[in-house]
């Protein structure tokens, strides 16, 4: 069932589509290629993406999927769960939990290289998260099934606010955004309690990956990319107009970042043009 061998495309795809995320791009690239090239991983790959809305967490997970599975998000080896849509009723936690465990087990039994995405982790009930933890350990086999070739990706808004503040504090001293390093954000990550439901000290998650807040220049790139993707001629002036008219920004003394990142762009492009 291992379909993907085109992970060289990942680097290119990240560079071309994921704007303003030099840290995330680099860590994802290293983590995913390292894992895929390892014939005998000790545990599944577990990535936890953090950052506010619209900064590219979903997009990044889709780019990974696209480069590992021929059918992309439609692959039957790729499973997407949104806590709000799939596990809305907190009275049903035990049912959700056992169903989910059953599915993970069934799917990994069929295909060791299965990939699971969990979106909106901030709203995921802790009981369900606990139910996922056994799959992420260094256990050789759990009831006869090995999960070591599976990939789990968690998307969460947790940490978005503190990542924004750190980015702002860094930029205000006149330093270049590209110079911001994973280490600069690691203290932030460990200071957020129950980060996306996972304790930072636990070894379940291999990489906590921060997504930075976006600036106007990145919004312009998002608009241009969306124009291209929807068959419009990319027009820089129009993209700038849209970045100024449609997108809300924090005040300058709070960084001037786009409040909802690139979130509104796709939905409003046609209307705007
Ligand atoms: C695999 O996961 C899907 C949910 O994405 C579920 O509907 C299906 O029943 C699972 N398959 C097995 C064999 O458990």
């Amino acid at each position: 069932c291992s379909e993907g061998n085109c992970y060289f495309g990942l680097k290119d795809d990240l560079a071309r589509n994921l704007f303003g995320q030099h840290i995330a791009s680099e860590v994802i690239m290293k983590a995913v290629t390292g894992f895929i090239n390892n014939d005998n991983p000790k545990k599944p790959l577990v990535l936890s993406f953090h950052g506010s809305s619209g900064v590219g967490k979903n997009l990044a997970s889709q780019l990974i999927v696209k480069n590992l599975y021929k059918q992309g998000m439609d692959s039957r080896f790729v499973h997407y769960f949104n806590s709000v849509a799939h596990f809305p009723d907190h009275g049903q936690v035990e049912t959700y939990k056992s169903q989910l465990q059953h599915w993970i087990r069934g799917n990994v039994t069929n295909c060791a290289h299965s990939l699971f995405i969990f979106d909106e982790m901030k709203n995921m009930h802790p009981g369900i998260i606990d139910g996922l933890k056994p799959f992420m350990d260094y256990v050789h086999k759990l009831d006869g099934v090995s999960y070591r070739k599976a990939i789990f990706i968690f998307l969460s808004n947790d940490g978005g606010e503190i990542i924004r503040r750190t980015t702002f504090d860094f930029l205000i001293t006149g330093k270049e955004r590209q110079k911001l390093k994973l280490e600069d954000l690691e203290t932030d990550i460990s200071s957020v309690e129950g980060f996306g439901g996972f304790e930072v000290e636990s070894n379940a998650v291999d990489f906590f990956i921060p997504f930075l807040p976006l600036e106007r220049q990145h919004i312009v790139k998002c608009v241009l990319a969306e124009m291209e993707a929807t068959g419009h001629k990319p027009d820089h002036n129009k993209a700038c107009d849209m970045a100024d008219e449609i997108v809300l920004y924090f005040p300058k003394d709070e960084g001037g970042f786009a409040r909802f990142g690139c979130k509104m762009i796709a939905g409003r492009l046609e209307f705007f043009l």
Side-chain angles (χ1 to χ4, degrees):
C1 65
S2 168
E3 317 174 294
N5 54 4
C6 46
Y7 49 84
F8 292 114
L10 180 58
K11 190 170 190 174
D12 204 41
D13 263 339
L14 289 167
R16 249 190 257 207
N17 299 292
L18 187 67
F19 305 118
Q21 304 301 351
H22 66 283
I23 298 175
S25 296
E26 193 188 325
V27 181
I28 288 171
M29 200 49 215
K30 280 190 187 154
V32 172
T33 52
F35 183 73
I36 297 295
N37 286 328
N38 184 352
D39 286 335
N40 190 18
K42 299 265 182 297
K43 70 185 280 301
L45 177 65
V46 184
L47 305 176
S48 193
F49 293 177
H50 298 271
S52 32
S53 177
V55 294
K57 302 186 298 293
N58 258 296
L59 176 64
S61 65
Q62 285 166 20
L63 295 177
I64 294 173
V65 165
K66 171 181 171 237
N67 283 283
L68 295 182
Y69 303 87
K70 269 198 212 114
Q71 314 275 321
M73 293 297 288
D74 295 328
S75 167
R76 60 201 171 87
F77 310 125
V78 175
H79 308 275
Y80 173 87
F81 302 98
N82 180 305
S83 65
V84 179
H86 293 100
F87 316 114
D89 181 359
H90 283 188
Q92 300 283 319
V93 169
E94 283 310 312
T95 314
Y96 293 148
K97 181 173 150 181
S98 65
Q99 189 176 50
L100 190 55
Q101 289 182 326
H102 189 76
W103 285 346
I104 293 175
R105 189 172 198 281
N107 280 290
V108 175
T109 304
N110 289 344
C111 169
H113 295 268
S114 293
L115 183 146
F116 303 88
I117 299 172
F118 295 90
D119 198 355
E120 306 263 11
M121 281 298 283
K122 211 171 173 167
N123 297 308
M124 184 78 94
H125 192 282
I128 300 178
I129 297 175
D130 279 341
L132 295 173
K133 285 178 183 166
F135 300 109
M136 289 164 211
D137 262 323
Y138 286 87
V139 184
H140 184 56
K141 277 184 179 172
L142 198 64
D143 301 327
V145 181
S146 167
Y147 295 88
R148 294 183 298 171
K149 292 199 166 157
I151 299 179
F152 294 86
I153 301 176
F154 298 99
L155 314 180
S156 174
N157 291 343
D158 271 341
E161 182 52 33
I162 192 152
I163 291 169
R164 181 172 71 83
R165 239 178 295 138
T166 301
T167 307
F168 174 62
D169 291 344
F170 187 86
L171 295 177
I172 196 122
T173 61
K175 285 184 246 177
E176 251 177 83
R177 183 181 171 104
Q178 296 289 339
K179 297 260 156 69
L180 196 60
K181 294 196 185 67
L182 181 62
E183 298 87 86
D184 298 319
L185 291 144
E186 266 172 347
T187 24
D188 290 357
I189 291 174
S190 45
S191 71
V192 179
E193 203 170 325
F195 209 59
F198 294 100
E199 302 79 23
V200 173
E201 319 80 61
S202 85
N203 295 317
V205 177
D206 298 289
F207 297 95
F208 287 98
I209 304 181
F211 281 67
L212 306 179
L214 299 182
E215 299 169 22
R216 182 180 175 278
Q217 50 158 329
H218 306 119
I219 305 301
V220 172
K221 287 185 184 168
C222 284
V223 179
L224 287 168
E226 190 60 30
M227 285 171 165
E228 192 156 3
T230 52
H232 295 283
K233 201 165 160 288
D235 178 324
H236 194 265
N237 287 336
K238 274 190 195 148
C240 290
D241 288 346
M242 188 167 176
D244 292 333
E245 285 174 37
I246 302 288
V247 178
L248 283 175
Y249 296 89
F250 282 100
K252 273 273 169 278
D253 60 5
E254 286 177 52
F257 302 117
R259 255 179 218 282
F260 305 104
C262 289
K263 199 148 211 150
M264 311 294 186
I265 307 297
R268 299 205 183 165
L269 183 68
E270 289 302 326
F271 169 80
F272 182 81
L273 290 176

